[in-house]
Amino acid sequence: MKRILSLVITTILFSLTLAPSTLAAEKKSELVDNVKSAILIDRDTGTTLYEKNSNEKLPPASMTKVMTMLLIMEAIDEGKLKMDEKIRTSDYAASMGGSQIFLEPGEEMTTEQMLKGIAIGSGNDAAVAVAERLVGSEEAFVEMMNKKAKDLGLTNSVFKNATGLPVDDHYSTAHDMAIMAKELLKYEDITKFTGTYEAYLREDSDKKFWLVNTNRLVKFYPGVDGLKTGFTNEAKYCLTATAEKNGMRVIAVVFGAPTSKERNAQVTKMLDYAFSQYETHPMYKRNESIGKVKVSKGDQKQVTATTSEPISLLTKKGEQVNKVKKEIVMNKKLKAPIEKGQQIGTIKFTKDGQTLVASPLVAQKDVKEANWWQLFKRATGMFTKTN
């Protein structure tokens, strides 16, 4: 960002050494085996704690729905979709094979119910129904998926559908899937769905449907509350998992385990390793106000900058004191219109000149262009109140 002004630089002392975000991933061959690829990251800093073939392109199967759920949660956050809105099932959505919640053509469910079907039951029909509601067709939704991957800097992921059903040239990597999961977990409500072990759909009808989470670790590993399993004959057993313990949230991904039991065992080893070796220190929650930024030619003169995600500092347990600097930079040339969620600055923590974590600061709300009368009043000095 060329047009930024440094607003705050603060030195902070901690009673332990901070693990930098560029920390070399552990290469312990004994940590994970019997899978094609794997990665373990800290959610808040993005630090890679372990990896194995994490950039190998592989079919993600139903882990594809991590991206699907991300776009759904973004739409809800932006007010483009409501949890209680009823979504109608098309003939095409109802025709999806594989895992499903057996939606019938014309059947309506709320967004919340559809999310249950996707997150808990891995419903392909529910995923396509919501995709169609958002942009009209699965094909258009797939374009959104690929654009979002590009926006996230993911160069090794290509999506051909919203479900993960087998199709040529539909692939991702452990690294890319972890970044998608990191982004999805900005929306804390998602774990209310992905962390539920069992639930019902159509509770008040004679077609009551029992959902059991395909991610058994939700029940059997304390702290696991997501995110998505995957299986096809080609992909074998896959899992993007997340767990939180003592305020530290990590993401573990495996591709290509031979059995579901082996998949869960390898993820368990990574989670155990993370929680035994590292800890995080929360600095900010998502949506915390950081300051105000001037807006040129807007219907408001300022917009509040907020954190776009939880921000923490990662430490390896039992290390020494070091100084950490916090730097906040804001765009000093903001011009309306500004969209809610648009990046307008950055907050960064550094140690010895090395970045530990950097996170976008975003606009708290929309700022529309000022009309001619507002601009006239400002120009003539009649409009003096700061909005």
Side-chain angles (χ1 to χ4, degrees), residues 51-90:
E51 68 87 27
K52 174 185 177 180
N53 303 329
S54 63
N55 289 312
E56 183 177 351
K57 297 175 182 177
L58 295 165
S62 276
M63 292 195 302
T64 297
K65 296 185 182 82
V66 171
M67 177 60 88
T68 300
M69 290 188 288
L70 169 57
L71 294 178
I72 294 170
M73 295 305 293
E74 279 190 350
I76 293 169
D77 188 63
E78 293 168 1
K80 297 175 181 177
L81 183 65
K82 297 185 181 300
M83 279 290 189
D84 60 357
E85 177 182 339
K86 289 188 176 181
I87 297 174
R88 184 180 182 279
T89 305
S90 69

Side-chain angles (χ1 to χ4, degrees), residues 101 120-121 197-202 207-212:
I101 58 172
I120 304 172
Y197 184 68
E198 58 183 350
Y200 284 95
L201 293 173
R202 309 181 186 91
K207 295 181 179 179
K208 188 175 182 180
F209 189 74
W210 184 39
L211 295 171
V212 179

Side-chain angles (χ1 to χ4, degrees), residues 79-152:
K80 297 175 181 177
L81 183 65
K82 297 185 181 300
M83 279 290 189
D84 60 357
E85 177 182 339
K86 289 188 176 181
I87 297 174
R88 184 180 182 279
T89 305
S90 69
D91 289 353
Y92 175 69
S95 73
M96 291 295 107
S99 55
Q100 54 188 300
I101 58 172
F102 300 99
L103 292 168
E104 297 181 358
E107 183 176 3
E108 292 185 338
M109 282 192 180
T110 64
T111 302
E112 182 175 7
Q113 291 169 325
M114 291 287 191
L115 266 172
K116 282 184 181 180
I118 297 166
I120 304 172
S122 195
N124 294 325
D125 44 2
V128 173
V130 183
E132 291 177 332
R133 157 60 185 84
L134 287 177
V135 284
S137 69
E138 186 184 20
E139 290 78 8
F141 188 79
V142 169
E143 290 181 10
M144 283 182 61
M145 295 170 75
N146 288 312
K147 182 182 183 301
K148 185 64 179 180
K150 184 177 179 180
D151 291 344
L152 292 173

Side-chain angles (χ1 to χ4, degrees), residues 115-231:
L115 266 172
K116 282 184 181 180
I118 297 166
I120 304 172
S122 195
N124 294 325
D125 44 2
V128 173
V130 183
E132 291 177 332
R133 157 60 185 84
L134 287 177
V135 284
S137 69
E138 186 184 20
E139 290 78 8
F141 188 79
V142 169
E143 290 181 10
M144 283 182 61
M145 295 170 75
N146 288 312
K147 182 182 183 301
K148 185 64 179 180
K150 184 177 179 180
D151 291 344
L152 292 173
L154 308 182
T155 58
N156 293 316
S157 294
V158 173
F159 299 106
K160 298 292 185 178
N161 58 45
T163 60
L165 286 167
V167 63
D168 291 342
D169 297 321
H170 180 108
Y171 56 82
S172 188
T173 68
H175 167 271
D176 286 7
M177 195 58 61
I179 299 304
M180 288 178 234
K182 182 180 187 298
E183 192 74 9
L184 174 59
L185 286 164
K186 287 181 179 180
Y187 307 101
E188 296 177 356
D189 284 350
I190 192 60
T191 56
K192 295 178 182 178
F193 300 98
T194 61
T196 298
Y197 184 68
E198 58 183 350
Y200 284 95
L201 293 173
R202 309 181 186 91
E203 295 96 328
D204 301 322
S205 74
D206 57 359
K207 295 181 179 179
K208 188 175 182 180
F209 189 74
W210 184 39
L211 295 171
V212 179
N213 203 316
T214 54
N215 180 8
R216 299 295 188 262
L217 291 181
V218 166
K219 183 175 183 179
F220 297 109
Y221 192 104
V224 170
D225 52 6
L227 279 165
K228 194 68 197 71
T229 60
F231 171 79

